[in-house]
Amino acid sequence: MSEPVKQEGAQALDEGIEAGISGLTTEQIASVINEVIDNETGARLKTYVDTCVHCGLCSEACHFYLSHEKDPHYSPVGKVKQTLWEMLRKKGRVGPAFIKNAAIIAHTECNLCKRCAQYCPFGIDIAYLMLVVRRIIHKLGVTPLYIQDTAHSHSVTMNQMWVKGDEWPDTLQWQEEEAQTEIPTLRIPLDKEGADIMYSVIAPEPKFQAQLIYQMAVIMDVAGVNWTMPATLGWDNSDMAMYTGDNEIMGRLKRTHYETAQRLRVKRIVMGECGHAFRSVYDMGNRWLGWKMPPIPMVHAIDFYHELLSQGRIKIKQKYPEPVTLHDPCNVVRGGGLGEKLREVAHAMCETVVEMHPNREHNYCCSAGGGVINCGPPFKMTRVNGNRVKAEQLFAAKTRGAKTLITPCHNCHSGLHDIVEHFGIGLEIKFISDILYEIIEKPEAT
Amino acid sequence: MHDVYSFVTGPLAWAAFLLFIGGSLFKLGWMLHLVAKKERFIFTYMSWRYSFRSILHWIMPFATTNWKLHPVLTIVTFAFHLCLLATPLFLLSHIILWDEAWNIRWWAFPDALADVMTVVVILSCLFFLIRRVQQPEVRFVTSTSDFIILAIVAMPFITGFIAYHQWFNYKVSFILHILSGEVMLAAIPFTRLSHMILSPFTRAYMGSEFGGVRHAKDW
């Protein structure tokens, strides 16, 4: 049976993938694939492969598939066919060109958003199968360059962005001083043992979004929270190693994070508005370390804001007047059930909330998550063009009046920014804290 | 011809049932063994409540987003699976065989109903065949085995229908019917027809993950 040609533009060139495959032989590839399949997978992989009846019903879950005129190469099961099925059928004996293609598919054409798990009648976890492919790619050394660099940063510095030891407290001090011009008594308590809350962020915040730390410091101060940020390694909750299949580094990161919280004897960890980090601390990293649930309560920012608002610890001075729409991040809404709380926070903050459709756990992914945006510039258009349905969904919300787009996730932010810009949608994108900081009652500057 | 009949209803029938039951038990046992050996965490996350919440949604037509997205397929697939399971169990002539062999009997469908249900299965198989060839997303992931599996499922019903209506040589079609039924039974644990045995478990696990950890709906 002849197969349709895949719709794509010029194939992106990734130095990491090219260098990775250049020295590979079929024998090496087979040995790595079989080693991963035999030793690292078990009942799930076998049962999923045996149970799948090739019905194609997962297809319409995927934004890549929907955005490419329903090209079957982009359907979830189509991606499994082009990667794992073939590896299993040939008992690992596939060539370097196949591995290159598998790396591109698993790393840049799947966001591991798990929407397809909601569409498969058997509940087959295709994102897990793609992670198995990424694990193989990792062990073959063919991971795309940019995300591999991020994993290296995690390994060397225990943070995602090569933030050096002195840069971290320096940034916090800088933000503290900035915020003191507004609230002179404000502190960002560093390494305070016995605080109620350890606040953790992802490394892009100190690197180039320091205002988010400023905003959170103001919110914490106004709410009178007994909080701290660690001075040592473990302050960064992000985890791109989870997405490169480098589970060992994922484990090191999460252990350091939780051990830092334990050293500070905090009651719980509150994390900033990030999706993938939530997946790492709540779903994948903790499990790798053998913890069913996080060893210290882990609270996402949505949950935390919800708590502060519902307990009246922060008060809204004046609601945000512009109509907003909400983008539900996969990792905290499909992955953590925070959809309703996000809505309650949004309604408490804003005059008008316009729902986009589909929403909540059925929302389309931003196409940046799952490490795809971290594969860098070579694959920017892969994810932007691969998410035309998102542009249509945003545009529909805009035509119903939305002017601002709220999403409590860094990857969603960056991904949606590119989509909004490329398709000319014209929505202003904000974090919850961007708005909260503006509208809460603050002590008057003296 | 009588010898062939004796063979297919005797030793072959035993073999088919043994392969079906033994194979299914082995398949299940192997899966549980693998979980115990390599992925014990699965037991940790399994929840009766969320397993059944998920299974119940998915075995009800139009109770999930995806069933609603594909109304025709949903009607066909539910009608197909219902008729596929119920017709052989409640067919009068099958019950007579059980009665003769083991002295057990139960309620039977009227023959006319069973006839209609057989036609439903055959037409559904035709629908699946056309869908497999016509729909690009299905054709792309189709291999020869998918057609063979479809044929394995359709044959007992096609031959049974022909035998019941005595259109051709009755003895031949009757023996072919028994034979194809045995092939299907034996094939269940060893082909992707094993979704019959395994899918409740995959569904239950995903239901447990979505209910207990992800706090989201998986339908």
Side-chain angles (χ1 to χ4, degrees), chain A residues 107-139:
Chain A
H107 266 288
T108 73
E109 294 170 7
C110 171
N111 297 98
L112 309 175
C113 75
K114 298 217 186 198
R115 195 168 188 262
C116 46
Q118 292 175 297
Y119 282 68
C120 170
F122 301 150
I124 293 175
D125 189 350
I126 297 170
Y128 162 72
L129 300 178
M130 283 296 116
L131 272 171
V132 172
V133 176
R134 290 193 189 185
R135 174 73 169 167
I136 290 166
I137 297 298
H138 160 68
K139 289 206 152 186

PDB file of all heavy atoms in Angstrom, chain A residues 107-139:
ATOM      1  N   HIS A 107      11.015  14.411  19.564  1.00  0.00           N
ATOM      2  CA  HIS A 107      11.418  15.621  20.285  1.00  0.00           C
ATOM      3  C   HIS A 107      10.715  16.887  19.827  1.00  0.00           C
ATOM      4  O   HIS A 107      10.610  17.844  20.592  1.00  0.00           O
ATOM      5  CB  HIS A 107      12.930  15.840  20.156  1.00  0.00           C
ATOM      6  CG  HIS A 107      13.693  15.248  21.293  1.00  0.00           C
ATOM      7  ND1 HIS A 107      13.684  15.795  22.558  1.00  0.00           N
ATOM      8  CD2 HIS A 107      14.473  14.143  21.369  1.00  0.00           C
ATOM      9  CE1 HIS A 107      14.430  15.049  23.365  1.00  0.00           C
ATOM     10  NE2 HIS A 107      14.913  14.043  22.677  1.00  0.00           N
ATOM     11  N   THR A 108      10.283  16.941  18.565  1.00  0.00           N
ATOM     12  CA  THR A 108       9.768  18.225  18.075  1.00  0.00           C
ATOM     13  C   THR A 108       8.353  18.153  17.504  1.00  0.00           C
ATOM     14  O   THR A 108       7.785  19.175  17.189  1.00  0.00           O
ATOM     15  CB  THR A 108      10.702  18.820  16.988  1.00  0.00           C
ATOM     16  OG1 THR A 108      10.554  18.070  15.779  1.00  0.00           O
ATOM     17  CG2 THR A 108      12.155  18.787  17.414  1.00  0.00           C
ATOM     18  N   GLU A 109       7.808  16.950  17.372  1.00  0.00           N
ATOM     19  CA  GLU A 109       6.448  16.851  16.832  1.00  0.00           C
ATOM     20  C   GLU A 109       5.494  16.214  17.832  1.00  0.00           C
ATOM     21  O   GLU A 109       4.412  15.754  17.467  1.00  0.00           O
ATOM     22  CB  GLU A 109       6.473  16.060  15.507  1.00  0.00           C
ATOM     23  CG  GLU A 109       7.243  16.813  14.423  1.00  0.00           C
ATOM     24  CD  GLU A 109       7.496  15.977  13.170  1.00  0.00           C
ATOM     25  OE1 GLU A 109       6.967  14.859  13.074  1.00  0.00           O
ATOM     26  OE2 GLU A 109       8.229  16.456  12.291  1.00  0.00           O
ATOM     27  N   CYS A 110       5.917  16.139  19.075  1.00  0.00           N
ATOM     28  CA  CYS A 110       5.049  15.649  20.145  1.00  0.00           C
ATOM     29  C   CYS A 110       5.396  16.423  21.400  1.00  0.00           C
ATOM     30  O   CYS A 110       6.555  16.487  21.784  1.00  0.00           O
ATOM     31  CB  CYS A 110       5.241  14.154  20.382  1.00  0.00           C
ATOM     32  SG  CYS A 110       4.385  13.586  21.871  1.00  0.00           S
ATOM     33  N   ASN A 111       4.373  17.024  22.026  1.00  0.00           N
ATOM     34  CA  ASN A 111       4.590  17.805  23.249  1.00  0.00           C
ATOM     35  C   ASN A 111       4.343  16.979  24.510  1.00  0.00           C
ATOM     36  O   ASN A 111       4.305  17.536  25.600  1.00  0.00           O
ATOM     37  CB  ASN A 111       3.683  19.029  23.274  1.00  0.00           C
ATOM     38  CG  ASN A 111       3.959  19.990  22.139  1.00  0.00           C
ATOM     39  OD1 ASN A 111       3.268  19.982  21.121  1.00  0.00           O
ATOM     40  ND2 ASN A 111       4.979  20.814  22.289  1.00  0.00           N
ATOM     41  N   LEU A 112       4.133  15.693  24.354  1.00  0.00           N
ATOM     42  CA  LEU A 112       3.868  14.815  25.510  1.00  0.00           C
ATOM     43  C   LEU A 112       2.701  15.356  26.334  1.00  0.00           C
ATOM     44  O   LEU A 112       2.695  15.237  27.554  1.00  0.00           O
ATOM     45  CB  LEU A 112       5.115  14.692  26.399  1.00  0.00           C
ATOM     46  CG  LEU A 112       6.426  14.317  25.714  1.00  0.00           C
ATOM     47  CD1 LEU A 112       7.576  14.365  26.724  1.00  0.00           C
ATOM     48  CD2 LEU A 112       6.367  12.930  25.099  1.00  0.00           C
ATOM     49  N   CYS A 113       1.729  15.974  25.660  1.00  0.00           N
ATOM     50  CA  CYS A 113       0.663  16.672  26.392  1.00  0.00           C
ATOM     51  C   CYS A 113      -0.389  15.713  26.929  1.00  0.00           C
ATOM     52  O   CYS A 113      -1.205  16.089  27.752  1.00  0.00           O
ATOM     53  CB  CYS A 113       0.004  17.725  25.505  1.00  0.00           C
ATOM     54  SG  CYS A 113      -1.114  17.050  24.238  1.00  0.00           S
ATOM     55  N   LYS A 114      -0.381  14.475  26.436  1.00  0.00           N
ATOM     56  CA  LYS A 114      -1.278  13.401  26.893  1.00  0.00           C
ATOM     57  C   LYS A 114      -2.746  13.638  26.536  1.00  0.00           C
ATOM     58  O   LYS A 114      -3.620  12.989  27.109  1.00  0.00           O
ATOM     59  CB  LYS A 114      -1.147  13.149  28.398  1.00  0.00           C
ATOM     60  CG  LYS A 114       0.250  12.679  28.801  1.00  0.00           C
ATOM     61  CD  LYS A 114       0.212  11.657  29.894  1.00  0.00           C
ATOM     62  CE  LYS A 114       1.636  11.332  30.361  1.00  0.00           C
ATOM     63  NZ  LYS A 114       1.742  10.100  31.093  1.00  0.00           N
ATOM     64  N   ARG A 115      -3.004  14.548  25.623  1.00  0.00           N
ATOM     65  CA  ARG A 115      -4.393  14.696  25.198  1.00  0.00           C
ATOM     66  C   ARG A 115      -4.853  13.409  24.514  1.00  0.00           C
ATOM     67  O   ARG A 115      -6.005  13.007  24.622  1.00  0.00           O
ATOM     68  CB  ARG A 115      -4.515  15.899  24.251  1.00  0.00           C
ATOM     69  CG  ARG A 115      -5.945  16.359  24.028  1.00  0.00           C
ATOM     70  CD  ARG A 115      -5.979  17.711  23.326  1.00  0.00           C
ATOM     71  NE  ARG A 115      -7.315  18.271  23.263  1.00  0.00           N
ATOM     72  CZ  ARG A 115      -8.109  18.185  22.202  1.00  0.00           C
ATOM     73  NH1 ARG A 115      -7.690  17.601  21.117  1.00  0.00           N
ATOM     74  NH2 ARG A 115      -9.314  18.710  22.230  1.00  0.00           N
ATOM     75  N   CYS A 116      -3.931  12.739  23.803  1.00  0.00           N
ATOM     76  CA  CYS A 116      -4.315  11.515  23.090  1.00  0.00           C
ATOM     77  C   CYS A 116      -4.726  10.406  24.050  1.00  0.00           C
ATOM     78  O   CYS A 116      -5.510   9.532  23.682  1.00  0.00           O
ATOM     79  CB  CYS A 116      -3.218  11.051  22.141  1.00  0.00           C
ATOM     80  SG  CYS A 116      -1.569  11.036  22.813  1.00  0.00           S
ATOM     81  N   ALA A 117      -4.197  10.448  25.273  1.00  0.00           N
ATOM     82  CA  ALA A 117      -4.602   9.428  26.248  1.00  0.00           C
ATOM     83  C   ALA A 117      -6.085   9.570  26.589  1.00  0.00           C
ATOM     84  O   ALA A 117      -6.729   8.613  27.005  1.00  0.00           O
ATOM     85  CB  ALA A 117      -3.768   9.545  27.519  1.00  0.00           C
ATOM     86  N   GLN A 118      -6.614  10.779  26.390  1.00  0.00           N
ATOM     87  CA  GLN A 118      -8.040  11.009  26.653  1.00  0.00           C
ATOM     88  C   GLN A 118      -8.902  10.603  25.464  1.00  0.00           C
ATOM     89  O   GLN A 118     -10.114  10.625  25.548  1.00  0.00           O
ATOM     90  CB  GLN A 118      -8.299  12.494  26.912  1.00  0.00           C
ATOM     91  CG  GLN A 118      -7.717  13.031  28.187  1.00  0.00           C
ATOM     92  CD  GLN A 118      -7.930  14.529  28.270  1.00  0.00           C
ATOM     93  OE1 GLN A 118      -7.420  15.282  27.446  1.00  0.00           O
ATOM     94  NE2 GLN A 118      -8.683  14.967  29.254  1.00  0.00           N
ATOM     95  N   TYR A 119      -8.257  10.323  24.348  1.00  0.00           N
ATOM     96  CA  TYR A 119      -9.013   9.997  23.141  1.00  0.00           C
ATOM     97  C   TYR A 119      -8.902   8.535  22.754  1.00  0.00           C
ATOM     98  O   TYR A 119      -9.724   8.021  22.007  1.00  0.00           O
ATOM     99  CB  TYR A 119      -8.559  10.901  21.980  1.00  0.00           C
ATOM    100  CG  TYR A 119      -9.147  12.284  22.088  1.00  0.00           C
ATOM    101  CD1 TYR A 119      -8.764  13.140  23.118  1.00  0.00           C
ATOM    102  CD2 TYR A 119     -10.142  12.717  21.213  1.00  0.00           C
ATOM    103  CE1 TYR A 119      -9.338  14.390  23.255  1.00  0.00           C
ATOM    104  CE2 TYR A 119     -10.716  13.977  21.336  1.00  0.00           C
ATOM    105  CZ  TYR A 119     -10.309  14.804  22.362  1.00  0.00           C
ATOM    106  OH  TYR A 119     -10.891  16.034  22.506  1.00  0.00           O
ATOM    107  N   CYS A 120      -7.882   7.851  23.235  1.00  0.00           N
ATOM    108  CA  CYS A 120      -7.733   6.426  22.931  1.00  0.00           C
ATOM    109  C   CYS A 120      -8.760   5.648  23.743  1.00  0.00           C
ATOM    110  O   CYS A 120      -8.802   5.755  24.961  1.00  0.00           O
ATOM    111  CB  CYS A 120      -6.331   5.942  23.301  1.00  0.00           C
ATOM    112  SG  CYS A 120      -6.184   4.147  23.212  1.00  0.00           S
ATOM    113  N   PRO A 121      -9.608   4.847  23.081  1.00  0.00           N
ATOM    114  CA  PRO A 121     -10.612   4.091  23.836  1.00  0.00           C
ATOM    115  C   PRO A 121      -9.987   3.159  24.877  1.00  0.00           C
ATOM    116  O   PRO A 121     -10.618   2.833  25.870  1.00  0.00           O
ATOM    117  CB  PRO A 121     -11.334   3.283  22.751  1.00  0.00           C
ATOM    118  CG  PRO A 121     -11.136   4.059  21.493  1.00  0.00           C
ATOM    119  CD  PRO A 121      -9.776   4.675  21.620  1.00  0.00           C
ATOM    120  N   PHE A 122      -8.749   2.735  24.641  1.00  0.00           N
ATOM    121  CA  PHE A 122      -8.102   1.819  25.586  1.00  0.00           C
ATOM    122  C   PHE A 122      -7.228   2.551  26.598  1.00  0.00           C
ATOM    123  O   PHE A 122      -6.588   1.928  27.436  1.00  0.00           O
ATOM    124  CB  PHE A 122      -7.245   0.791  24.839  1.00  0.00           C
ATOM    125  CG  PHE A 122      -8.016  -0.045  23.858  1.00  0.00           C
ATOM    126  CD1 PHE A 122      -7.407  -0.536  22.710  1.00  0.00           C
ATOM    127  CD2 PHE A 122      -9.349  -0.347  24.086  1.00  0.00           C
ATOM    128  CE1 PHE A 122      -8.129  -1.311  21.808  1.00  0.00           C
ATOM    129  CE2 PHE A 122     -10.071  -1.119  23.190  1.00  0.00           C
ATOM    130  CZ  PHE A 122      -9.455  -1.601  22.038  1.00  0.00           C
ATOM    131  N   GLY A 123      -7.124   3.871  26.480  1.00  0.00           N
ATOM    132  CA  GLY A 123      -6.284   4.607  27.423  1.00  0.00           C
ATOM    133  C   GLY A 123      -4.810   4.309  27.250  1.00  0.00           C
ATOM    134  O   GLY A 123      -4.054   4.272  28.230  1.00  0.00           O
ATOM    135  N   ILE A 124      -4.386   4.085  26.032  1.00  0.00           N
ATOM    136  CA  ILE A 124      -2.960   3.832  25.785  1.00  0.00           C
ATOM    137  C   ILE A 124      -2.195   5.145  25.940  1.00  0.00           C
ATOM    138  O   ILE A 124      -2.588   6.175  25.394  1.00  0.00           O
ATOM    139  CB  ILE A 124      -2.755   3.213  24.384  1.00  0.00           C
ATOM    140  CG1 ILE A 124      -3.365   1.809  24.371  1.00  0.00           C
ATOM    141  CG2 ILE A 124      -1.268   3.166  24.026  1.00  0.00           C
ATOM    142  CD1 ILE A 124      -3.353   1.130  23.027  1.00  0.00           C
ATOM    143  N   ASP A 125      -1.103   5.082  26.701  1.00  0.00           N
ATOM    144  CA  ASP A 125      -0.350   6.296  27.034  1.00  0.00           C
ATOM    145  C   ASP A 125       0.740   6.530  25.979  1.00  0.00           C
ATOM    146  O   ASP A 125       1.875   6.089  26.124  1.00  0.00           O
ATOM    147  CB  ASP A 125       0.268   6.116  28.427  1.00  0.00           C
ATOM    148  CG  ASP A 125       0.883   7.393  28.952  1.00  0.00           C
ATOM    149  OD1 ASP A 125       1.007   8.362  28.177  1.00  0.00           O
ATOM    150  OD2 ASP A 125       1.246   7.414  30.143  1.00  0.00           O
ATOM    151  N   ILE A 126       0.348   7.216  24.911  1.00  0.00           N
ATOM    152  CA  ILE A 126       1.270   7.397  23.786  1.00  0.00           C
ATOM    153  C   ILE A 126       2.424   8.328  24.161  1.00  0.00           C
ATOM    154  O   ILE A 126       3.545   8.159  23.686  1.00  0.00           O
ATOM    155  CB  ILE A 126       0.496   7.890  22.541  1.00  0.00           C
ATOM    156  CG1 ILE A 126      -0.504   6.798  22.132  1.00  0.00           C
ATOM    157  CG2 ILE A 126       1.440   8.204  21.379  1.00  0.00           C
ATOM    158  CD1 ILE A 126      -1.491   7.199  21.082  1.00  0.00           C
ATOM    159  N   ALA A 127       2.163   9.273  25.059  1.00  0.00           N
ATOM    160  CA  ALA A 127       3.250  10.151  25.506  1.00  0.00           C
ATOM    161  C   ALA A 127       4.343   9.327  26.183  1.00  0.00           C
ATOM    162  O   ALA A 127       5.535   9.599  26.018  1.00  0.00           O
ATOM    163  CB  ALA A 127       2.712  11.206  26.465  1.00  0.00           C
ATOM    164  N   TYR A 128       3.931   8.308  26.915  1.00  0.00           N
ATOM    165  CA  TYR A 128       4.930   7.427  27.532  1.00  0.00           C
ATOM    166  C   TYR A 128       5.762   6.722  26.449  1.00  0.00           C
ATOM    167  O   TYR A 128       6.988   6.612  26.569  1.00  0.00           O
ATOM    168  CB  TYR A 128       4.230   6.398  28.447  1.00  0.00           C
ATOM    169  CG  TYR A 128       5.095   5.200  28.766  1.00  0.00           C
ATOM    170  CD1 TYR A 128       6.184   5.322  29.629  1.00  0.00           C
ATOM    171  CD2 TYR A 128       4.852   3.958  28.188  1.00  0.00           C
ATOM    172  CE1 TYR A 128       6.996   4.229  29.899  1.00  0.00           C
ATOM    173  CE2 TYR A 128       5.655   2.866  28.450  1.00  0.00           C
ATOM    174  CZ  TYR A 128       6.731   3.005  29.307  1.00  0.00           C
ATOM    175  OH  TYR A 128       7.544   1.931  29.556  1.00  0.00           O
ATOM    176  N   LEU A 129       5.088   6.288  25.399  1.00  0.00           N
ATOM    177  CA  LEU A 129       5.820   5.602  24.318  1.00  0.00           C
ATOM    178  C   LEU A 129       6.822   6.564  23.662  1.00  0.00           C
ATOM    179  O   LEU A 129       7.941   6.181  23.315  1.00  0.00           O
ATOM    180  CB  LEU A 129       4.844   5.043  23.274  1.00  0.00           C
ATOM    181  CG  LEU A 129       3.833   4.016  23.803  1.00  0.00           C
ATOM    182  CD1 LEU A 129       2.888   3.561  22.695  1.00  0.00           C
ATOM    183  CD2 LEU A 129       4.539   2.803  24.410  1.00  0.00           C
ATOM    184  N   MET A 130       6.419   7.832  23.514  1.00  0.00           N
ATOM    185  CA  MET A 130       7.343   8.827  22.941  1.00  0.00           C
ATOM    186  C   MET A 130       8.523   9.083  23.895  1.00  0.00           C
ATOM    187  O   MET A 130       9.645   9.336  23.459  1.00  0.00           O
ATOM    188  CB  MET A 130       6.606  10.136  22.662  1.00  0.00           C
ATOM    189  CG  MET A 130       5.732  10.117  21.431  1.00  0.00           C
ATOM    190  SD  MET A 130       6.666   9.882  19.892  1.00  0.00           S
ATOM    191  CE  MET A 130       6.008   8.312  19.367  1.00  0.00           C
ATOM    192  N   LEU A 131       8.251   9.008  25.192  1.00  0.00           N
ATOM    193  CA  LEU A 131       9.346   9.172  26.158  1.00  0.00           C
ATOM    194  C   LEU A 131      10.331   7.999  26.084  1.00  0.00           C
ATOM    195  O   LEU A 131      11.533   8.183  26.277  1.00  0.00           O
ATOM    196  CB  LEU A 131       8.791   9.297  27.581  1.00  0.00           C
ATOM    197  CG  LEU A 131       8.430  10.710  28.021  1.00  0.00           C
ATOM    198  CD1 LEU A 131       7.687  10.677  29.358  1.00  0.00           C
ATOM    199  CD2 LEU A 131       9.666  11.599  28.150  1.00  0.00           C
ATOM    200  N   VAL A 132       9.795   6.810  25.789  1.00  0.00           N
ATOM    201  CA  VAL A 132      10.693   5.658  25.601  1.00  0.00           C
ATOM    202  C   VAL A 132      11.594   5.913  24.385  1.00  0.00           C
ATOM    203  O   VAL A 132      12.804   5.662  24.431  1.00  0.00           O
ATOM    204  CB  VAL A 132       9.885   4.346  25.426  1.00  0.00           C
ATOM    205  CG1 VAL A 132      10.812   3.190  25.030  1.00  0.00           C
ATOM    206  CG2 VAL A 132       9.131   3.999  26.704  1.00  0.00           C
ATOM    207  N   VAL A 133      11.000   6.472  23.323  1.00  0.00           N
ATOM    208  CA  VAL A 133      11.803   6.799  22.141  1.00  0.00           C
ATOM    209  C   VAL A 133      12.863   7.838  22.517  1.00  0.00           C
ATOM    210  O   VAL A 133      14.039   7.711  22.151  1.00  0.00           O
ATOM    211  CB  VAL A 133      10.913   7.323  20.988  1.00  0.00           C
ATOM    212  CG1 VAL A 133      11.766   7.748  19.795  1.00  0.00           C
ATOM    213  CG2 VAL A 133       9.903   6.261  20.558  1.00  0.00           C
ATOM    214  N   ARG A 134      12.484   8.856  23.281  1.00  0.00           N
ATOM    215  CA  ARG A 134      13.453   9.890  23.673  1.00  0.00           C
ATOM    216  C   ARG A 134      14.568   9.288  24.537  1.00  0.00           C
ATOM    217  O   ARG A 134      15.715   9.718  24.449  1.00  0.00           O
ATOM    218  CB  ARG A 134      12.757  11.013  24.436  1.00  0.00           C
ATOM    219  CG  ARG A 134      11.854  11.864  23.561  1.00  0.00           C
ATOM    220  CD  ARG A 134      11.460  13.126  24.293  1.00  0.00           C
ATOM    221  NE  ARG A 134      10.437  13.875  23.581  1.00  0.00           N
ATOM    222  CZ  ARG A 134       9.996  15.060  23.980  1.00  0.00           C
ATOM    223  NH1 ARG A 134      10.469  15.608  25.080  1.00  0.00           N
ATOM    224  NH2 ARG A 134       9.058  15.689  23.296  1.00  0.00           N
ATOM    225  N   ARG A 135      14.209   8.323  25.368  1.00  0.00           N
ATOM    226  CA  ARG A 135      15.220   7.660  26.197  1.00  0.00           C
ATOM    227  C   ARG A 135      16.240   6.959  25.273  1.00  0.00           C
ATOM    228  O   ARG A 135      17.447   7.033  25.509  1.00  0.00           O
ATOM    229  CB  ARG A 135      14.528   6.657  27.126  1.00  0.00           C
ATOM    230  CG  ARG A 135      15.464   5.792  27.954  1.00  0.00           C
ATOM    231  CD  ARG A 135      16.112   6.577  29.077  1.00  0.00           C
ATOM    232  NE  ARG A 135      16.803   5.720  30.031  1.00  0.00           N
ATOM    233  CZ  ARG A 135      17.648   6.154  30.949  1.00  0.00           C
ATOM    234  NH1 ARG A 135      17.899   7.460  31.051  1.00  0.00           N
ATOM    235  NH2 ARG A 135      18.242   5.337  31.775  1.00  0.00           N
ATOM    236  N   ILE A 136      15.745   6.291  24.252  1.00  0.00           N
ATOM    237  CA  ILE A 136      16.637   5.613  23.298  1.00  0.00           C
ATOM    238  C   ILE A 136      17.516   6.648  22.597  1.00  0.00           C
ATOM    239  O   ILE A 136      18.732   6.481  22.476  1.00  0.00           O
ATOM    240  CB  ILE A 136      15.799   4.797  22.279  1.00  0.00           C
ATOM    241  CG1 ILE A 136      15.162   3.586  22.975  1.00  0.00           C
ATOM    242  CG2 ILE A 136      16.652   4.363  21.089  1.00  0.00           C
ATOM    243  CD1 ILE A 136      14.065   2.900  22.173  1.00  0.00           C
ATOM    244  N   ILE A 137      16.892   7.740  22.171  1.00  0.00           N
ATOM    245  CA  ILE A 137      17.624   8.811  21.483  1.00  0.00           C
ATOM    246  C   ILE A 137      18.713   9.379  22.409  1.00  0.00           C
ATOM    247  O   ILE A 137      19.840   9.629  21.989  1.00  0.00           O
ATOM    248  CB  ILE A 137      16.633   9.944  21.069  1.00  0.00           C
ATOM    249  CG1 ILE A 137      15.604   9.422  20.061  1.00  0.00           C
ATOM    250  CG2 ILE A 137      17.368  11.170  20.527  1.00  0.00           C
ATOM    251  CD1 ILE A 137      16.147   8.926  18.765  1.00  0.00           C
ATOM    252  N   HIS A 138      18.352   9.539  23.662  1.00  0.00           N
ATOM    253  CA  HIS A 138      19.320  10.041  24.650  1.00  0.00           C
ATOM    254  C   HIS A 138      20.505   9.092  24.776  1.00  0.00           C
ATOM    255  O   HIS A 138      21.666   9.499  24.734  1.00  0.00           O
ATOM    256  CB  HIS A 138      18.632  10.209  26.005  1.00  0.00           C
ATOM    257  CG  HIS A 138      19.557  10.254  27.178  1.00  0.00           C
ATOM    258  ND1 HIS A 138      20.430  11.304  27.380  1.00  0.00           N
ATOM    259  CD2 HIS A 138      19.781   9.374  28.195  1.00  0.00           C
ATOM    260  CE1 HIS A 138      21.140  11.067  28.481  1.00  0.00           C
ATOM    261  NE2 HIS A 138      20.772   9.903  28.980  1.00  0.00           N
ATOM    262  N   LYS A 139      20.198   7.805  24.895  1.00  0.00           N
ATOM    263  CA  LYS A 139      21.282   6.836  25.093  1.00  0.00           C
ATOM    264  C   LYS A 139      22.138   6.684  23.837  1.00  0.00           C
ATOM    265  O   LYS A 139      23.284   6.234  23.913  1.00  0.00           O
ATOM    266  CB  LYS A 139      20.699   5.488  25.520  1.00  0.00           C
ATOM    267  CG  LYS A 139      20.150   5.528  26.932  1.00  0.00           C
ATOM    268  CD  LYS A 139      20.155   4.163  27.570  1.00  0.00           C
ATOM    269  CE  LYS A 139      20.278   4.284  29.074  1.00  0.00           C
ATOM    270  NZ  LYS A 139      20.417   2.971  29.716  1.00  0.00           N
TER     271      LYS A 139
END
